[in-house]
mmCIF file of all heavy atoms in Angstrom:
data_model
loop_
_atom_site.group_PDB
_atom_site.id
_atom_site.type_symbol
_atom_site.label_atom_id
_atom_site.label_comp_id
_atom_site.label_asym_id
_atom_site.label_seq_id
_atom_site.Cartn_x
_atom_site.Cartn_y
_atom_site.Cartn_z
ATOM 1 N N ALA A 143 28.512 29.943 85.320
ATOM 2 C CA ALA A 143 27.154 29.345 85.044
ATOM 3 C C ALA A 143 27.187 27.945 84.529
ATOM 4 O O ALA A 143 26.600 26.987 84.984
ATOM 5 C CB ALA A 143 26.299 30.289 84.149
ATOM 6 N N THR A 144 28.233 27.701 83.670
ATOM 7 C CA THR A 144 28.333 26.329 83.101
ATOM 8 C C THR A 144 28.861 25.369 84.141
ATOM 9 O O THR A 144 28.371 24.259 84.169
ATOM 10 C CB THR A 144 29.352 26.426 81.830
ATOM 11 O OG1 THR A 144 28.991 27.511 80.944
ATOM 12 C CG2 THR A 144 29.427 25.126 81.143
ATOM 13 N N LEU A 145 29.718 25.807 84.830
ATOM 14 C CA LEU A 145 30.411 24.996 85.968
ATOM 15 C C LEU A 145 29.223 24.685 86.974
ATOM 16 O O LEU A 145 29.097 23.416 87.258
ATOM 17 C CB LEU A 145 31.453 25.768 86.740
ATOM 18 C CG LEU A 145 32.058 25.133 87.805
ATOM 19 C CD1 LEU A 145 32.738 23.807 87.524
ATOM 20 C CD2 LEU A 145 33.151 26.039 88.593
ATOM 21 N N PHE A 146 28.473 25.630 87.427
ATOM 22 C CA PHE A 146 27.378 25.248 88.387
ATOM 23 C C PHE A 146 26.435 24.268 87.918
ATOM 24 O O PHE A 146 26.011 23.345 88.660
ATOM 25 C CB PHE A 146 26.680 26.558 88.759
ATOM 26 C CG PHE A 146 27.555 27.611 89.487
ATOM 27 C CD1 PHE A 146 27.149 28.942 89.519
ATOM 28 C CD2 PHE A 146 28.696 27.245 90.318
ATOM 29 C CE1 PHE A 146 27.945 29.955 90.093
ATOM 30 C CE2 PHE A 146 29.357 28.270 90.901
ATOM 31 C CZ PHE A 146 29.016 29.592 90.869
ATOM 32 N N GLU A 147 26.236 24.582 86.676
ATOM 33 C CA GLU A 147 25.124 23.598 86.001
ATOM 34 C C GLU A 147 25.702 22.169 85.830
ATOM 35 O O GLU A 147 24.975 21.203 86.064
ATOM 36 C CB GLU A 147 24.837 24.194 84.527
ATOM 37 C CG GLU A 147 23.385 24.282 84.292
ATOM 38 C CD GLU A 147 23.173 25.223 83.243
ATOM 39 O OE1 GLU A 147 24.004 25.531 82.262
ATOM 40 O OE2 GLU A 147 22.160 25.947 83.264
ATOM 41 N N PHE A 148 26.900 22.085 85.367
ATOM 42 C CA PHE A 148 27.608 20.896 85.105
ATOM 43 C C PHE A 148 27.602 19.997 86.477
ATOM 44 O O PHE A 148 27.469 18.812 86.459
ATOM 45 C CB PHE A 148 28.990 20.926 84.634
ATOM 46 C CG PHE A 148 29.729 19.588 84.405
ATOM 47 C CD1 PHE A 148 29.184 18.770 83.463
ATOM 48 C CD2 PHE A 148 30.928 19.280 85.042
ATOM 49 C CE1 PHE A 148 29.928 17.611 83.271
ATOM 50 C CE2 PHE A 148 31.560 18.114 84.882
ATOM 51 C CZ PHE A 148 31.098 17.212 83.910
ATOM 52 N N LEU A 149 27.700 20.652 87.618
ATOM 53 C CA LEU A 149 27.811 19.928 88.901
ATOM 54 C C LEU A 149 26.377 19.578 89.323
ATOM 55 O O LEU A 149 26.265 19.088 90.436
ATOM 56 C CB LEU A 149 28.556 20.724 89.865
ATOM 57 C CG LEU A 149 30.061 20.871 89.666
ATOM 58 C CD1 LEU A 149 30.805 21.685 90.735
ATOM 59 C CD2 LEU A 149 30.778 19.503 89.476
ATOM 60 N N GLY A 150 25.336 19.941 88.620
ATOM 61 C CA GLY A 150 23.988 19.437 89.001
ATOM 62 C C GLY A 150 23.094 20.511 89.569
ATOM 63 O O GLY A 150 22.003 20.317 90.070
ATOM 64 N N ASN A 151 23.589 21.909 89.540
ATOM 65 C CA ASN A 151 22.710 22.846 90.216
ATOM 66 C C ASN A 151 21.793 23.456 89.173
ATOM 67 O O ASN A 151 22.000 23.407 87.978
ATOM 68 C CB ASN A 151 23.603 24.124 90.744
ATOM 69 C CG ASN A 151 24.560 23.609 91.786
ATOM 70 O OD1 ASN A 151 24.152 23.321 92.863
ATOM 71 N ND2 ASN A 151 25.790 23.422 91.458
ATOM 72 N N GLU A 152 20.669 24.186 89.622
ATOM 73 C CA GLU A 152 19.880 24.797 88.635
ATOM 74 C C GLU A 152 20.390 26.260 88.658
ATOM 75 O O GLU A 152 20.446 26.917 89.609
ATOM 76 C CB GLU A 152 18.422 24.867 89.207
ATOM 77 C CG GLU A 152 17.475 25.357 88.167
ATOM 78 C CD GLU A 152 16.090 25.546 88.717
ATOM 79 O OE1 GLU A 152 15.666 24.787 89.653
ATOM 80 O OE2 GLU A 152 15.330 26.501 88.129
ATOM 81 N N VAL A 153 20.702 26.734 87.278
ATOM 82 C CA VAL A 153 21.239 28.073 87.154
ATOM 83 C C VAL A 153 20.296 29.035 86.441
ATOM 84 O O VAL A 153 19.669 28.508 85.498
ATOM 85 C CB VAL A 153 22.582 27.944 86.325
ATOM 86 C CG1 VAL A 153 23.097 29.229 85.918
ATOM 87 C CG2 VAL A 153 23.580 27.240 87.144
ATOM 88 N N ILE A 154 20.105 30.236 87.079
ATOM 89 C CA ILE A 154 19.308 31.136 86.309
ATOM 90 C C ILE A 154 20.219 32.307 85.911
ATOM 91 O O ILE A 154 20.859 32.939 86.812
ATOM 92 C CB ILE A 154 18.142 31.668 87.238
ATOM 93 C CG1 ILE A 154 17.372 30.517 87.780
ATOM 94 C CG2 ILE A 154 17.275 32.610 86.476
ATOM 95 C CD1 ILE A 154 16.395 30.818 88.861
ATOM 96 N N ARG A 155 20.464 32.407 84.584
ATOM 97 C CA ARG A 155 21.317 33.479 84.088
ATOM 98 C C ARG A 155 20.433 34.793 84.111
ATOM 99 O O ARG A 155 19.406 34.885 83.674
ATOM 100 C CB ARG A 155 21.811 33.193 82.775
ATOM 101 C CG ARG A 155 22.693 31.959 82.658
ATOM 102 C CD ARG A 155 23.007 31.630 81.331
ATOM 103 N NE ARG A 155 24.024 30.493 81.159
ATOM 104 C CZ ARG A 155 23.869 29.268 81.424
ATOM 105 N NH1 ARG A 155 22.699 28.750 81.849
ATOM 106 N NH2 ARG A 155 24.818 28.336 81.412
ATOM 107 N N GLN A 156 21.067 35.900 84.602
ATOM 108 C CA GLN A 156 20.343 37.224 84.612
ATOM 109 C C GLN A 156 21.410 38.183 83.876
ATOM 110 O O GLN A 156 22.485 38.546 84.483
ATOM 111 C CB GLN A 156 20.044 37.604 85.946
ATOM 112 C CG GLN A 156 18.999 36.782 86.508
ATOM 113 C CD GLN A 156 17.547 37.052 86.024
ATOM 114 O OE1 GLN A 156 16.941 37.939 86.526
ATOM 115 N NE2 GLN A 156 17.052 36.202 85.075
ATOM 116 N N ASN A 157 20.905 38.786 82.764
ATOM 117 C CA ASN A 157 21.648 39.868 82.188
ATOM 118 C C ASN A 157 20.996 41.175 82.431
ATOM 119 O O ASN A 157 20.067 41.533 81.912
ATOM 120 C CB ASN A 157 21.673 39.641 80.646
ATOM 121 C CG ASN A 157 22.645 40.399 79.930
ATOM 122 O OD1 ASN A 157 23.384 41.276 80.549
ATOM 123 N ND2 ASN A 157 22.865 40.214 78.628
ATOM 124 N N HIS A 158 21.622 41.824 83.549
ATOM 125 C CA HIS A 158 21.076 43.024 84.071
ATOM 126 C C HIS A 158 21.408 44.261 83.228
ATOM 127 O O HIS A 158 22.296 45.051 83.705
ATOM 128 C CB HIS A 158 21.556 43.044 85.555
ATOM 129 C CG HIS A 158 20.842 44.251 86.410
ATOM 130 N ND1 HIS A 158 19.790 43.934 87.150
ATOM 131 C CD2 HIS A 158 21.262 45.405 86.720
ATOM 132 C CE1 HIS A 158 19.431 44.970 87.859
ATOM 133 N NE2 HIS A 158 20.367 45.828 87.657
ATOM 134 N N ILE A 159 20.885 44.398 82.065
ATOM 135 C CA ILE A 159 21.406 45.404 81.199
ATOM 136 C C ILE A 159 20.958 46.817 81.564
ATOM 137 O O ILE A 159 19.779 46.987 82.210
ATOM 138 C CB ILE A 159 21.005 45.142 79.769
ATOM 139 C CG1 ILE A 159 19.520 45.233 79.480
ATOM 140 C CG2 ILE A 159 21.474 43.754 79.228
ATOM 141 C CD1 ILE A 159 18.975 45.185 78.101
ATOM 142 N N GLY A 160 21.722 47.794 81.413
ATOM 143 C CA GLY A 160 21.291 49.176 81.642
ATOM 144 C C GLY A 160 20.649 49.756 80.551
ATOM 145 O O GLY A 160 21.230 50.224 79.478
ATOM 146 N N ASP A 161 19.314 49.837 80.659
ATOM 147 C CA ASP A 161 18.441 50.338 79.551
ATOM 148 C C ASP A 161 17.618 51.484 79.956
ATOM 149 O O ASP A 161 16.715 51.795 79.260
ATOM 150 C CB ASP A 161 17.666 49.187 79.017
ATOM 151 C CG ASP A 161 16.542 48.675 79.985
ATOM 152 O OD1 ASP A 161 16.714 49.104 81.339
ATOM 153 O OD2 ASP A 161 15.524 48.172 79.758
ATOM 154 N N TRP A 162 17.978 52.056 81.099
ATOM 155 C CA TRP A 162 17.132 53.177 81.572
ATOM 156 C C TRP A 162 18.064 54.321 82.133
ATOM 157 O O TRP A 162 19.224 54.139 82.592
ATOM 158 C CB TRP A 162 16.328 52.580 82.788
ATOM 159 C CG TRP A 162 15.102 53.343 83.040
ATOM 160 C CD1 TRP A 162 14.784 54.155 84.136
ATOM 161 C CD2 TRP A 162 13.944 53.388 82.158
ATOM 162 N NE1 TRP A 162 13.586 54.705 83.976
ATOM 163 C CE2 TRP A 162 12.900 54.247 82.748
ATOM 164 C CE3 TRP A 162 13.583 52.894 81.049
ATOM 165 C CZ2 TRP A 162 11.765 54.511 82.255
ATOM 166 C CZ3 TRP A 162 12.382 53.117 80.386
ATOM 167 C CH2 TRP A 162 11.368 54.003 81.041
#
Side-chain angles (χ1 to χ4, degrees):
T144 310
L145 171 65
F146 296 154
E147 229 157 36
F148 180 62
L149 293 178
N151 300 287
E152 186 187 336
V153 171
I154 306 175
R155 294 167 172 80
Q156 294 283 280
N157 194 354
H158 191 86
I159 63 170
D161 66 343
W162 206 247

